[in-house]
Amino acid sequence: MTAPLVEARELRKFYPLRGGLLRRAKSWVRAVDGVTLAIQPGETLGLVGESGCGKSTLGRLLLRLLEPTAGDVQFEGRSLLGIPAGELRSVRRRMQIVFQDPYGSLNPRMRVASIVGEGLAIHRIGSREERGRKVRELLDMVGLPADAARRYPHEFSGGQRQRIGIARALATNPRFIVADEAVSALDVSIQAQIINLLQDLRRQLGLTMLFIAHDLRVVEHISDRVAIMYLGRIVELGARDQIFGNPHHPYTRALLSAVPIPDPHRRHARTALPGEVPSPLAQPAGCAFHPRCPNVEAVCRGTVPPLEGDETHAVACHVFPLGGRSGVAPAK
């Protein structure tokens, strides 16, 4: 098996909440709490979870846009945390991000040519004429006309702005892209266009991608493997067919049961989870999911379940471990 392109090792990101005269840390928000995963060259890993579970924080940690509290991030077999600032700048050419908001992520005072070509200028790639040609090629690649380069972001629709954001991310020929809820702010019909564009670009350019989303059907369509995240931890990880066809963790099954089936003649039982997601300031002991779990047992309340398995399928659950009681897939 080839070496992973991107790897997180026991990655943690805690934010202090300070108070008092000395502004000492009184408590900690555990945004990412001990995540270990690997992304192989050329694959798309879908990252799913409820809002506030730490998905976007994890994506930014993998790009070293945030400094981790503990753990390590490996890119191309080298730790990003040990790279000097000068070398990190060149490494960033090979890692890019597509943001969620196609309105807020583009500078309204810059023309599209400057937005897309900014990375080329920063890294001093090519002459001015060569950068202009590259911008036109990128716009054509994402389905925008050449005259778009002379216009401003407010002159485009939301889907077109996201295409501009994708072109900007591709400008420096990256190997790894984090798509952070890249279609969630778009209409459903436009979502399909952007998803198909990302898939075409991935095949054409050999991209490796972390696709962060909360829409499981979109994730099923675009991903090779899927990671399910809950309160800063990965609770299930595996090949797409394993996650959608044989989910083990009760949280994964609850998420899948909530996905609507576009057929009035078919129904499946929905798992209603009681209560709300616990506050990351006061996470419960043991398995963080146990206060809402319909299958909770005594061991769940006191011991954190490890993520056990392999790249094909791994689960962090005392009640439904791999090789033990099988998960119950929702009817399709």
Side-chain angles (χ1 to χ4, degrees):
M1 180 177 293
T2 59
L5 179 68
V6 183
E7 188 174 5
R9 298 179 179 176
E10 287 296 320
L11 203 56
R12 289 177 167 83
K13 181 61 178 179
F14 298 168
Y15 292 98
L17 289 183
R18 302 182 185 278
L21 292 175
L22 300 179
R23 303 295 296 167
R24 290 176 176 170
K26 302 180 68 176
S27 57
W28 297 84
V29 176
R30 299 186 175 189
V32 174
D33 193 4
V35 169
T36 295
L37 56 78
I39 307 176
Q40 299 298 323
E43 84 164 340
T44 296
L45 175 67
L47 183 60
V48 181
E50 293 171 283
S51 296
C53 72
K55 305 186 300 296
S56 294
T57 301
L58 177 58
R60 283 162 170 76
L61 287 170
L62 293 180
L63 298 174
R64 204 185 160 187
L65 295 178
L66 295 174
E67 293 295 325
T69 303
D72 191 21
V73 178
Q74 300 271 329
F75 179 70
E76 297 178 329
R78 186 179 181 187
S79 172
L80 289 182
L81 305 185
I83 296 178
E87 292 185 43
L88 181 61
R89 183 186 181 94
S90 64
V91 172
R92 288 195 189 282
R93 291 178 51 178
R94 304 194 292 278
M95 304 183 297
Q96 294 293 325
I97 185 169
V98 178
F99 295 98
Q100 174 180 357
D101 184 3
Y103 297 91
S105 62
L106 303 179
N107 189 332
R109 299 182 179 182
M110 295 174 65
R111 296 181 189 271
V112 168
S114 298
I115 292 173
V116 175
E118 187 174 20
L120 299 173
I122 289 173
H123 292 286
R124 301 177 181 178
I125 300 173
S127 65
R128 185 172 181 177
E129 292 74 19
E130 289 171 337
R131 291 198 290 267
R133 286 196 297 270
K134 179 68 172 180
V135 167
R136 291 191 291 272
E137 291 173 4
L138 289 166
L139 292 176
D140 180 67
M141 189 180 297
V142 300
L144 291 174
D147 64 359
R150 300 191 298 270
R151 295 153 63 187
Y152 289 92
H154 73 270
E155 300 179 62
F156 297 90
S157 67
Q160 290 173 323
R161 293 186 196 192
Q162 198 59 290
R163 290 174 186 268
I164 294 170
I166 293 170
R168 175 177 60 183
L170 296 176
T172 58
N173 296 321
R175 295 191 66 192
F176 177 54
I177 286 182
V178 173
D180 186 7
E181 299 275 10
V183 299
S184 64
L186 306 176
D187 293 339
V188 174
S189 60
I190 306 302
Q191 285 185 11
Q193 295 176 20
I194 299 300
I195 291 297
N196 290 335
L197 172 63
L198 289 172
Q199 287 186 305
D200 291 342
L201 292 172
R202 173 196 162 191
R203 288 190 291 266
Q204 180 181 347
L205 303 175
L207 298 173
T208 302
M209 190 181 307
L210 177 68
F211 186 84
I212 301 172
H214 59 268
D215 188 329
L216 282 161
R217 286 306 173 208
V218 171
V219 170
E220 183 181 21
H221 180 68
I222 197 173
S223 302
D224 299 304
R225 290 190 302 135
V226 179
I228 307 296
M229 197 168 187
Y230 187 81
L231 273 183
R233 295 190 178 118
I234 301 296
V235 297
E236 191 158 5
L237 172 68
R240 175 187 57 201
D241 293 342
Q242 286 289 341
I243 296 297
F244 285 89
N246 184 30
H248 272 59
H249 200 282
Y251 180 60
T252 307
R253 300 206 304 269
L255 290 179
L256 291 174
S257 74
V259 177
I261 297 177
D263 186 340
H265 302 292
R266 291 195 295 169
R267 293 285 187 271
H268 62 72
R270 180 170 179 175
T271 303
L273 297 177
E276 300 291 335
V277 179
S279 169
L281 288 172
Q283 292 192 20
C287 175
F289 185 62
H290 86 255
R292 306 174 69 197
C293 182
N295 308 102
V296 62
E297 295 182 358
V299 66
C300 306
R301 296 185 174 92
T303 305
V304 177
L307 185 67
E308 296 182 324
D310 54 30
E311 290 186 351
T312 303
H313 203 176
V315 64
C317 184
H318 296 300
V319 181
F320 296 105
L322 293 177
R325 282 185 273 180
S326 64
V328 180
K332 293 187 177 181

